C-alpha cells in the first residue's frame, strides 16, 4: 500500500541508566555485555513523524526542522534499511524528528530518538508489534533506545539473540517520585560517542570485572526501587557509574569524559548526602554532565545548591517518564488526516 497516508507520529522519552550499558557481546545486533536498568525522563522527549512514500529515491530526515549532519543521516538510513528488511517494505521514509531539549546540551538523544523513530515507522506501515518487539527493533538503532519503549523504571536484559534482548517495565513511573536534576557543566559535543566507546570497552582490564559483578548491582538496584530505599539506590548507582568511567579511562584509547566541574559536582553531591542527609546521588553517561538523582522533596534544594556551586552550571530537571506513545500524525505543524 504505497499511498501518501502511510504516516504516523510517536513520542519517546529519554532515559538515565542506574546500571549502565557499556560494551556489547554483539556489536551489529547491539546485544549488550550486561543487563542494564534506567528510569525514563518525563521532561526530555523526542517526537518523530515518519511518512513512507513510494515516489522517493532516498530517505529524508530533518532534526528540529533542519538538515542533519551526514553522520546522523547515515545512522537513521541504516536503521530504516534494517526496518525495511524486517518489516517487508521497499518504501522510502520522510522523517521529521524534534527534541524538546536543547540539542547542544550534551544530553543523549539517541535513546528517545531511535525509540520514537522505530515506533512511528512501524505504525506508519500499519503494523502492530508487541512492546517487546518494538524494544528489540529500537535496540538495533541505539542500545539504550530499547529502554525508552517501556515506561517508568525499565530493565533491559542481556541475551544471546535479537528476540530475547528486550526491555520491560519493572515499576511504573508513579511508583517512586524521583527527580533527575541534570547539572550541565559543558555544552560541547562529545568527541568520542557511545558507539565507539562500546567497541573499545573490552580493551580495559576492568571491563570483565564490571560485567561479572553487574548482575549483583542490578539486583540491589531492583531491591532499592521495590522498597523505595534511597540510601541503597545511592550506593549502587554511584558505584556503577564510577565503574563504567573506570573502564572508559582505562580503555585503549582512553576516554576521559570528566571535567573539573564534573568532579566538583560529584564531590558536592556526596557531601550533601553524607553530611546533610539530602537524598541525592550522582550518575554520569558518556559525557561530563552530572545527573543528580534526587528524592522529589529534595530536588529544589539540590537545584539551588548546584546553582550556588558555579555560575557555569546550567540545570535541567525531570521526573520519571512513561513509555513511548503514538500521537496524532503531524505534518509541518498541521494535523494530517489518516486513511
Ligand atoms: C553511557 O545507547 O548511546 O549512556 O547503542 O551505540 O547508541 P549506542 O550506545 P548508547 O549507549 C549508552 C551508554 C550510556 C549508558 C547507558 O545509557 O546505559
Amino acid at each position: 500500500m504505497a499511498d501518501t497516508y502511510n504516516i504516523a507520529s510517536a513520542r519517546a522519552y529519554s532515559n538515565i541508566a542506574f546500571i549502565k550499558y557499556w560494551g556489547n557481546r554483539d556489536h551489529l545486533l547491539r546485544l549488550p555485555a550486561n543487563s542494564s536498568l534506567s528510569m525514563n525522563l518525563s521532561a526530555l522527549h523526542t517526537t518523530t513523524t515518519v511518512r513512507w512514500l513510494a515516489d522517493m529515491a532516498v530517505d529524508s530526515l530533518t532534526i528540529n526542522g533542519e538538515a542533519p549532519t551526514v553522520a546522523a543521516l547515515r545512522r537513521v538510513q541504516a536503521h530504516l534499511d534494517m526496518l525495511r528488511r524486517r518489516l517487508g517494505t521497499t518504501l522510502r521514509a520522510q522523517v521529521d524528528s524534534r527534541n524538546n531539549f536543547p540539542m547542544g546540551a550534551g544530553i543523549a538523544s539517541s535513546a528517545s530518538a531511535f525509540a520514537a523513530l522505530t515506533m512511528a515507522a512501524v505504525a506508519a506501515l500499519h503494523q502492530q508489534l508487541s512492546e517487546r518487539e518494538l524494544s528489540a527493533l529500537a535496540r538495533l538503532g541505539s542500545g539504550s533506545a530499547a529502554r525508552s519503549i517501556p515506561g517508568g523504571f525499565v530493565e533491559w536484559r542481556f541475551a544471546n539473540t535479537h528476540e530475547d534482548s528486550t526491555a520491560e517495565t519493572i515499576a511504573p513511573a508513579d511508583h517512586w517520585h524521583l527527580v533527575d536534576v541534570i547539572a550541565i557543566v559543558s555544552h560541547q559535543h562529545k568527541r568520542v560517542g557511545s558507539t565507539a566507546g562500546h567497541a573499545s570497552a573490552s580493551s580495559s582490564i576492568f571491563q570483565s570485572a564490571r560485567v561479572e559483578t553487574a548482575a549483583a548491582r542490578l539486583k540491589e538496584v531492583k531491591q532499592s526501587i521495590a522498597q523505595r530505599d534511597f540510601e541503597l539506590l545511592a550506593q549502587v548507582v554511584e558505584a556503577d557509574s564510577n565503574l563504567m568511567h573506570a573502564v572508559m579511562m582505562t580503555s585503549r584509547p582512553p576516554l576521559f569524559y570528566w571535567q573539573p566541574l564534573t568532579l566538583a559536582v560529584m564531590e558536592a553531591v556526596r557531601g550533601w548526602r553524607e553530611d546533610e542527609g539530602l537524598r541525592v546521588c550522582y550518575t554520569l553517561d558518556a559525557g561530563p554532565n552530572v545527573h543528580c538523582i534526587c528524592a522529589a522533596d529534595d530536588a529544589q534544594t539540590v537545584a539551588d545548591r548546584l546553582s550556588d556551586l558555579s555560575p557555569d552550571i546550567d540545570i535541567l530537571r525531570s521526573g520519571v517518564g512513561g513509555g513511548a506513545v503514538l500521537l496524532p500524525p503531524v505534518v509541518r505543524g498541521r494535523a494530517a488526516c489518516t486513511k
Side-chain angles (χ1 to χ4, degrees):
M1 193 172 54
D3 60 35
T4 53
Y5 297 102
N6 291 339
I7 182 168
S9 297
R11 172 169 296 169
Y13 300 90
S14 180
N15 68 68
I16 178 67
F18 294 166
I19 300 295
K20 304 294 185 185
Y21 152 50
W22 197 247
N24 286 311
R25 55 190 59 209
D26 182 318
H27 290 297
L28 273 182
L29 288 177
R30 286 188 159 84
L31 296 175
N34 60 279
S35 299
S36 57
L37 192 149
S38 56
M39 88 176 193
N40 282 358
L41 298 174
S42 60
L44 308 180
H45 56 72
T46 303
T47 305
T48 298
T49 299
V50 175
R51 184 178 204 161
W52 293 102
L53 294 162
D55 55 2
M56 280 198 332
V58 287
D59 300 310
S60 71
L61 170 68
T62 53
I63 300 179
N64 295 340
E66 291 178 9
T69 61
V70 173
L73 179 63
R74 284 210 183 118
R75 189 166 172 181
V76 165
Q77 284 172 336
H79 193 60
L80 292 167
D81 284 342
M82 179 282 298
L83 289 172
R84 270 187 282 270
R85 279 195 305 278
R86 288 183 183 259
L87 302 174
T89 184
T90 54
L91 300 176
R92 299 286 153 180
Q94 208 174 52
V95 179
D96 175 71
S97 185
R98 285 163 202 269
N99 298 316
N100 77 329
F101 50 97
M103 278 284 278
I107 300 300
S109 58
S110 70
S112 53
F114 282 93
L117 172 63
T118 303
M119 184 174 252
V122 169
L125 285 172
H126 311 284
Q127 297 203 12
Q128 283 182 353
L129 300 185
S130 66
E131 184 180 273
R132 275 178 62 103
E133 289 169 317
L134 285 173
S135 172
L137 288 178
R139 189 201 74 233
L140 294 169
S142 174
S144 54
R147 298 188 310 237
S148 281
I149 295 286
F153 298 86
V154 175
E155 178 182 357
W156 166 26
R157 298 216 172 86
F158 82 81
N160 290 321
T161 62
H162 166 70
E163 289 74 19
D164 291 332
S165 189
T166 61
E168 65 182 30
T169 299
I170 59 149
D174 61 3
H175 168 74
W176 196 6
H177 293 143
L178 296 180
V179 174
D180 183 3
V181 179
I182 309 171
I184 299 178
V185 304
S186 166
H187 288 265
Q188 270 184 353
H189 200 75
K190 54 191 172 199
R191 274 188 301 152
V192 181
S194 300
T195 306
H198 292 299
S200 68
S202 59
S203 67
S204 163
I205 57 167
F206 297 137
Q207 170 70 348
S208 56
R210 190 193 69 81
V211 170
E212 276 162 28
T213 53
R217 287 190 299 282
L218 183 84
K219 200 172 156 200
E220 285 186 309
V221 165
K222 284 172 83 169
Q223 185 191 330
S224 73
I225 292 171
Q227 299 171 352
R228 300 187 190 89
D229 179 343
F230 195 89
E231 190 47 41
L232 178 61
L233 180 83
Q235 298 300 331
V236 188
V237 165
E238 290 188 355
D240 195 82
S241 174
N242 294 345
L243 278 163
M244 179 181 73
H245 281 268
V247 169
M248 290 164 161
M249 291 176 195
T250 51
S251 291
R252 278 182 269 167
L255 297 173
F256 286 89
Y257 289 110
W258 296 4
Q259 292 185 5
L261 209 42
T262 308
L263 195 57
V265 172
M266 290 160 71
E267 293 265 300
V269 163
R270 281 189 49 205
W272 298 333
R273 185 174 73 253
E274 288 171 7
D275 305 336
E276 301 175 50
L278 280 182
R279 285 160 301 165
V280 56
C281 65
Y282 65 76
T283 184
L284 278 70
D285 278 345
N289 299 322
V290 186
H291 293 253
C292 302
I293 309 297
C294 311
D297 288 348
D298 290 337
Q300 188 56 49
T301 311
V302 169
D304 293 343
R305 296 285 181 91
L306 287 168
S307 299
D308 291 347
L309 201 63
S310 164
D312 296 330
I313 295 177
D314 287 333
I315 289 170
L316 283 175
R317 217 172 135 143
S318 177
V320 190
V325 286
L326 286 172
L327 302 175
V330 172
V331 189
R332 290 187 204 95
R334 277 180 292 127
C337 63
T338 51
K339 271 186 189 167

